[in-house]
Amino acid sequence: MQPMLNIAVRAARSAGDLILRSTDNIGHLQVDQKGKNDFASEVDRKSEREIINIIRAAYPDHAILAEESGAHKGNEFVWIIDPLDGTTNFLHGFPQYAVSIALKVKGRLEVGVIYDPLRDELFTARRGGGAMLNNRRIRVTRQSGMKGALIGTGFPFKTAAHLDAYVGMFKAITTDSAGIRRAGSAALDLAYVAAGRLDGFWEIGLMEWDMAAGVLLIKEAGGVVTDFSFNDKYIESGNLIAGNPKMHQIMYQLIEPHVTQSLR
């Protein structure tokens, strides 16, 4: 899988360069609203085209699932692309966004890349090959309790349907933790769990392209990822808990009492 990881890295860096070149022109960008609090800029679309062109040049028969252009037919190799995770942050000049690319083969994640162009931080993972940050091995934290833990999250901002459940989860976790951070890019939050910058993370309503690369990073860094029912259906449900094994267990125990039937 190393050649495919190399292609993912090349595509992520190229898209990141394109994003950086656009930061001085944010006020003049064309922005479309896809749904409530859900935006796409022309930079999202250009970044996605750049990634797809690089992948297609190397692997023309591979399938693609991309946030902006949807599913592109191909074989059992599926590239999962979020060309700019944290678009709202980008449009406001808030410095927390990234490119996320994953490769799934016959339903199993094999390669994951998350690139933060502002900090030039490249998070990479291969199944069975560990997780890296700029070619240095990374691991999840050894935090063993909520006291002193720093936890990441994302608000369910696209719909109010699960807001009450989320508030209950938030209260349960914030009571004893050192703090909760909501930075606005799930891909980077997951990468930060893998790198030991966050002790855990949870969110409601993610899409596959938001989480695919980050999930592989966390698993290869020694962490655990499940849905709210302690199963592996997070891709299907969009609901995710992640952390080192101990913190994941603690977070699950705190979150589970607030999980409604529609979130299972």
Side-chain angles (χ1 to χ4, degrees):
M1 289 295 162
Q2 187 63 43
M4 296 179 191
L5 177 59
N6 293 342
I7 289 296
V9 167
R10 185 194 308 172
R13 285 194 177 279
S14 184
D17 290 345
L18 186 156
I19 291 166
L20 281 182
R21 292 195 301 271
S22 303
T23 54
D24 292 333
N25 195 39
I26 290 174
H28 301 285
L29 295 176
Q30 178 183 339
V31 180
D32 300 323
Q33 186 165 356
K34 299 186 290 184
K36 182 181 178 183
N37 297 324
D38 191 9
F39 302 94
S41 73
E42 59 186 278
V43 175
D44 293 71
R45 291 184 285 271
K46 288 179 180 178
S47 174
E48 185 170 291
R49 285 196 296 271
E50 179 74 6
I51 294 167
I52 290 174
N53 287 342
I54 290 172
I55 292 172
R56 284 286 195 222
Y59 303 108
D61 297 328
H62 287 194
I64 289 171
L65 175 63
E67 179 175 11
E68 305 306 331
S69 59
H72 305 240
K73 292 183 179 180
N75 57 23
E76 69 271 19
F77 290 75
V78 183
W79 295 86
I80 305 162
I81 301 166
D82 192 334
L84 177 51
D85 186 66
T87 298
T88 300
N89 283 352
F90 171 76
L91 293 174
H92 286 80
F94 189 88
Q96 189 79 354
Y97 44 84
V99 179
S100 178
I101 303 172
L103 173 64
K104 189 164 61 174
V105 182
K106 296 181 179 179
R108 185 165 62 182
L109 288 169
E110 296 285 350
V111 166
V113 171
I114 295 173
Y115 180 54
D116 177 350
L118 287 170
R119 299 171 182 85
D120 192 26
E121 289 191 330
L122 180 72
F123 301 85
T124 61
R126 285 186 298 112
R127 189 178 66 83
M132 314 285 280
L133 167 55
N134 290 348
N135 295 317
R136 289 179 287 108
R137 184 65 65 101
I138 54 176
R139 297 287 294 177
V140 294
T141 69
R142 296 181 179 179
Q143 181 73 19
S144 60
M146 191 55 68
K147 186 176 181 180
L150 185 63
I151 306 297
T153 189
F155 304 144
F157 61 94
K158 294 180 183 179
T159 174
H162 303 303
L163 189 57
D164 289 342
Y166 177 81
V167 169
M169 299 172 189
F170 188 95
K171 286 181 178 178
I173 288 179
T174 197
T175 301
D176 294 324
S177 69
I180 294 180
R181 300 289 181 264
R182 197 283 183 180
S185 169
L188 278 180
D189 288 336
L190 294 169
Y192 283 10
V193 172
R197 296 175 179 176
L198 291 170
D199 296 299
F201 175 82
W202 93 99
E203 188 163 353
I204 294 170
L206 291 172
M207 303 300 291
E208 186 169 6
W209 46 76
D210 298 320
M211 67 176 99
V215 163
L216 184 62
L217 276 162
I218 291 171
K219 289 183 175 182
E220 289 298 321
V224 175
V225 183
T226 70
D227 58 20
F228 291 170
S229 297
F230 216 79
N231 296 316
D232 62 356
K233 303 298 183 183
Y234 40 84
I235 296 293
E236 293 86 344
S237 70
N239 308 322
L240 176 150
I241 305 172
N244 72 48
K246 183 64 175 177
M247 285 303 302
H248 176 275
Q249 178 73 30
I250 293 170
M251 289 178 66
Y252 171 76
Q253 291 172 348
L254 291 171
I255 286 171
E256 199 279 332
H258 305 281
V259 176
T260 61
Q261 190 58 41
S262 60
L263 290 173
R264 295 187 187 278

